[in-house]
Amino acid sequence: MATLAQELTETVSRAFAAEGLDPAHGRVAASDRPDLAQFQVNGAMAAAKAAKSNPKAIAEKIVARLKDDPRIAKLEIAGPGFINISLTDETISKHIDKLRDDPRAGVPKRAKPQTVIIDFGGPNIAKTMHVGHLRSLIIGDALQKLFRFVGDKVISDVHFGDWGLQMGQLITEVQREQPALPYFDASFTGPYPNQSPVTMEDLEEIYPRASAATKADPARLDEARKATAELQAGRPGYRALWQHFRAVSFEGVRREFAALGVHFDWWKGESDVDKLVAPMVADLMKRGIGVESEGALVVFIAEPGDKKELPPLIVQKSDGAALYETTDLATIIDRVKTADPDLILYVVGQPQHDHFEKVFRGARKAGLNGKAVLEHAGFGTVNGPDGKPFRTRAGGTVKLFDLIAQAKDEALKRLTEAGLAQDYPAAEREEIARKTGLAAIKYADLSNQRLTNYVFDLARFTKFEGETGPYLQYAAVRIQSLLRKAEDQGFKPGPIRIEDAAERDLVLLLDRLPDAIETAIAKRAPNVLSDHAFTIAQGFSRFYAAHHILSETNEVLRGSRLAVCRLVLTQFAVVLGLLGIEIPERM
Ligand code: ARG
């Protein structure tokens, strides 16, 4: 359903067209000054510029064409030619009443759905996910939900980091520690053991050791390189061992995704495109897009006008091994072949921006991307109170799992402080704390602009006042409980009839959701949606303070107010759902 702003845009655009002006100037938006008007049109200025005439005169002509519209209660020209419009309460009531039973809160689906692949998460073998993965997971998940909600076909791909030098580092380190294992015996003919020789905990310790050793000792590095190349060439023992690394790491990652409530459609990894690499390189060379440079095969991707110099994209190192950029390029081929997407969106930290720029340019230069737009949606870092990347007290990286557990503990404390959920069964209280803890982390993350850094402050995020996830959950829970009580008393929602400013303002805010969703998608900016949620919560609390609901004896008024409450709840359910935040039954 069209919003009021969209309906008005149609009318005002026609008025511009009737004056021989570009109808695009007739765009109507919510007013910047809600104290003066509900809506505004700024197009008279641009129209006047184009027509070399006076904005005020144009605004007057438009206003003359609108003045008999029965929907409009107040029409004014402000400043140099802004047109302010307010609607009659009847118009607004009738409009909003149509949303009463719409579970989508008035948000339409796209006329032309797109296929979108969203690449996020990106965990790596042998490394437990840490706070650095948090933003990718939370933002990526919100984006996949948003695109899906408007009807796009979305494929989320975790793009597991399971290839490259790290694998050789792990293999050679395990070999040093357990040389008798059959994986290292080139003459062994199998079968290899089913049981992994290492656990996730082992891997987590082995990897930093291996990484340090190869940094310190060129011979060790050489060994790791050789093992990597042999693994990639298919040496059976290495493959078998690597499969164990993969399986063990997958399990850990699954557990963490489940804890965060994040879902992936594809569990592909860098290694999945291994077989595409050699033909891709051969094809690039054949077409002259790839060239030899210092023993490596590269694609030059620098463009005139580049502000900084981008080194060439390396598709094959001099030792024949594939690099991170090689697998990313081959992954584009795989994705285009499998899903023919309109868009591939990479939700990965901003430090990898150049990496993606190189890969995208290479892909476009070689025509590997089909019809897909390739786009990097980067994000800033999560910092500690010192403004540096968030660390444990001991200086280590903070594990995602620990973070989630801490958030739950903190949420439990806050619930007690606020006197919430106190006499509930312990299991339910725990469950509520789990939900509010997650809401705290997710909302804090999503409410920041994607590219800004923010300071991780659980004490602030878990508060029940202010712009937090728990505050929004609590607002929704209160409405739920109010509606339950109404139902118990046999009170029913009825037609919405706007009575006063608090109600009018709230209803007009509710009508902005479709716009908020469109902007959030267009800018890949979930913070637009989290802002909207907070605005609604504030509008609702003003409305709630101004009106009796259950104690209202006039049935018509009570019915109307209950209907507004229900609309707000539906909108919370939609918006919080898109942000990955669950609403507890009660608190
Ligand atoms: N595994 C990578 C890392 O930890 C992130 C992967 C992002 N996605 C991609 N297609 N490169 O940095």
Side-chain angles (χ1 to χ4, degrees):
M1 194 176 97
T3 63
L4 286 169
Q6 286 162 349
E7 285 179 12
L8 281 174
T9 296
E10 228 188 279
T11 307
V12 179
S13 302
R14 263 189 270 120
F16 272 87
E19 291 298 332
L21 300 162
D22 184 351
H25 296 308
R27 204 178 86 82
V28 178
S31 171
D32 294 338
R33 291 284 309 271
D35 51 324
L36 299 181
Q38 296 161 359
F39 300 95
Q40 66 187 47
V41 184
N42 303 342
M45 268 66 70
K49 210 169 181 187
K52 300 203 170 41
S53 99
N54 171 329
K56 197 139 202 171
I58 289 184
E60 272 159 11
K61 284 186 194 159
I62 301 299
V63 163
R65 288 187 177 268
L66 299 176
K67 74 175 188 326
D68 295 327
D69 191 317
R71 294 169 301 172
I72 296 177
K74 209 168 123 202
L75 195 58
E76 278 167 356
I77 300 172
F82 297 105
I83 303 170
N84 284 338
I85 305 176
S86 293
L87 299 174
T88 66
D89 281 350
E90 204 199 328
T91 305
I92 303 172
S93 302
K94 256 216 247 74
H95 172 84
I96 210 72
D97 206 52
K98 283 188 244 158
L99 293 184
R100 261 208 291 149
D101 297 309
D102 182 2
R104 295 181 55 82
V107 181
K109 293 209 174 188
R110 281 196 212 275
K112 273 203 216 135
Q114 298 202 317
T115 299
V116 181
I117 295 181
I118 308 187
D119 176 322
F120 68 99
N124 299 307
I125 273 195
K127 297 185 206 160
T128 312
M129 283 192 290
H130 56 82
V131 62
H133 293 98
L134 186 71
R135 298 208 73 186
S136 176
L137 286 167
I138 293 178
I139 298 171
D141 194 48
L143 288 175
Q144 77 163 323
K145 290 186 159 99
L146 271 161
F147 279 94
R148 212 167 260 139
F149 189 63
V150 298
D152 284 339
K153 178 170 184 238
V154 180
I155 302 165
S156 47
D157 184 6
V158 69
H159 201 72
F160 209 49
D162 61 358
W163 217 223
L165 182 64
Q166 288 96 324
M167 303 309 120
Q169 290 173 313
L170 287 170
I171 291 170
T172 48
E173 186 68 22
V174 172
Q175 180 166 20
R176 281 184 175 253
E177 288 165 15
Q178 305 183 56
L181 290 173
Y183 307 99
F184 311 112
D185 177 359
S187 61
F188 185 76
T189 51
Y192 294 100
N194 287 327
Q195 186 74 29
S196 171
V198 285
T199 62
M200 186 62 205
E201 289 70 37
D202 297 334
L203 282 177
E204 267 184 275
E205 284 174 20
I206 292 171
Y207 179 70
R209 255 203 318 273
S211 167
T214 47
K215 259 192 207 120
D217 179 356
R220 292 286 300 266
L221 180 61
D222 244 27
E223 244 175 68
R225 283 212 175 112
K226 199 165 146 258
T228 307
E230 283 182 84
L231 169 75
Q232 295 186 349
R235 180 170 163 167
Y238 286 3
R239 287 276 173 150
L241 181 57
W242 166 78
Q243 284 296 357
H244 285 311
F245 296 163
R246 240 170 83 93
V248 162
S249 305
F250 254 69
E251 212 178 285
V253 161
R254 266 217 175 91
R255 204 171 62 118
E256 289 173 301
F257 289 166
L260 265 182
V262 171
H263 155 91
F264 285 94
D265 299 304
W266 283 358
W267 283 72
K268 295 203 178 193
E270 296 171 358
S271 65
D272 281 291
V273 298
D274 176 52
K275 30 197 188 314
L276 299 181
V277 168
M280 174 183 82
V281 173
D283 168 62
L284 293 175
M285 297 307 289
K286 201 175 85 200
R287 292 196 280 144
I289 293 165
V291 292
E292 215 192 302
S293 168
E294 296 168 32
L297 305 181
V298 308
V299 178
F300 286 101
I301 44 84
E303 286 171 7
D306 278 352
K307 286 202 189 72
K308 73 174 179 200
E309 198 182 331
L310 279 182
L313 176 73
I314 300 178
V315 290
Q316 188 179 304
K317 287 205 308 182
S318 47
D319 65 0
L323 281 176
Y324 185 43
E325 43 207 66
T326 323
T327 51
D328 258 327
L329 197 61
T331 301
I332 293 174
I333 300 180
D334 182 49
R335 288 174 176 166
V336 168
K337 199 175 73 194
T338 322
D340 192 21
D342 299 282
L343 169 69
I344 309 177
L345 194 60
Y346 298 77
V347 184
V348 184
Q350 193 60 11
Q352 294 195 27
H353 190 73
D354 285 356
H355 162 77
F356 285 111
E357 185 59 29
K358 280 162 62 178
V359 171
F360 296 169
R361 286 184 185 188
R364 288 192 290 256
K365 186 166 178 183
L368 302 179
N369 58 320
K371 62 175 192 269
V373 171
L374 306 172
E375 187 182 321
H376 173 222
F379 51 81
T381 48
V382 181
N383 289 333
D386 57 358
K388 301 213 183 83
F390 191 45
R391 303 242 160 221
T392 58
R393 275 208 194 105
T397 46
V398 181
K399 291 185 191 164
L400 203 52
F401 221 69
D402 296 340
L403 208 69
I404 296 171
Q406 278 168 26
K408 184 180 152 193
D409 290 347
E410 191 76 19
L412 216 43
K413 270 199 258 163
R414 296 287 170 172
L415 284 167
T416 309
E417 269 167 33
L420 295 172
Q422 289 318 290
D423 46 359
Y424 295 0
E428 186 182 355
R429 201 166 54 235
E430 291 275 318
E431 179 59 7
I432 294 172
R434 184 189 68 78
K435 287 182 179 160
T436 50
L438 275 182
I441 298 184
K442 289 189 182 181
Y443 189 87
D445 194 295
L446 295 170
S447 58
N448 282 287
Q449 280 192 19
R450 194 160 40 74
L451 285 166
T452 53
N453 307 336
Y454 70 89
V455 173
F456 196 83
D457 180 356
L458 261 187
R460 187 164 62 80
F461 299 168
T462 50
K463 278 193 179 148
F464 279 98
E465 317 87 48
E467 196 176 345
T468 68
Y471 166 74
L472 292 172
Q473 283 174 315
Y474 185 54
V477 163
R478 267 174 44 191
I479 304 176
Q480 270 173 186
S481 110
L482 184 135
L483 290 175
R484 267 199 298 264
K485 280 187 200 139
E487 203 170 307
D488 290 348
Q489 297 178 44
F491 297 163
K492 291 205 166 33
I496 295 175
R497 294 189 353 180
I498 288 170
E499 301 168 63
D500 62 4
E503 188 169 20
R504 187 183 306 116
D505 291 350
L506 173 58
V507 157
L508 286 170
L509 286 177
L510 291 172
D511 199 40
R512 291 201 209 163
L513 177 64
D515 261 348
I517 287 189
E518 210 183 293
T519 312
I521 291 179
K523 297 191 171 158
R524 332 296 190 206
N527 67 300
V528 173
L529 200 57
S530 62
D531 285 352
H532 178 80
F534 185 62
T535 312
I536 294 297
Q538 287 177 309
F540 180 75
S541 84
R542 283 190 294 270
F543 165 79
Y544 191 72
H547 299 287
H548 299 286
I549 300 179
L550 296 178
S551 58
E552 174 57 57
T553 49
N554 180 324
E555 201 178 325
V556 176
L557 290 180
R558 192 178 59 220
S560 165
R561 291 173 195 165
L562 279 173
V564 170
C565 291
R566 218 175 53 165
L567 258 176
V568 174
L569 183 60
T570 304
Q571 197 154 116
F572 272 138
V574 166
V575 173
L576 295 182
L578 291 171
L579 299 176
I581 293 175
E582 296 173 87
I583 304 174
E585 280 291 303
R586 55 177 195 161
M587 272 162 105

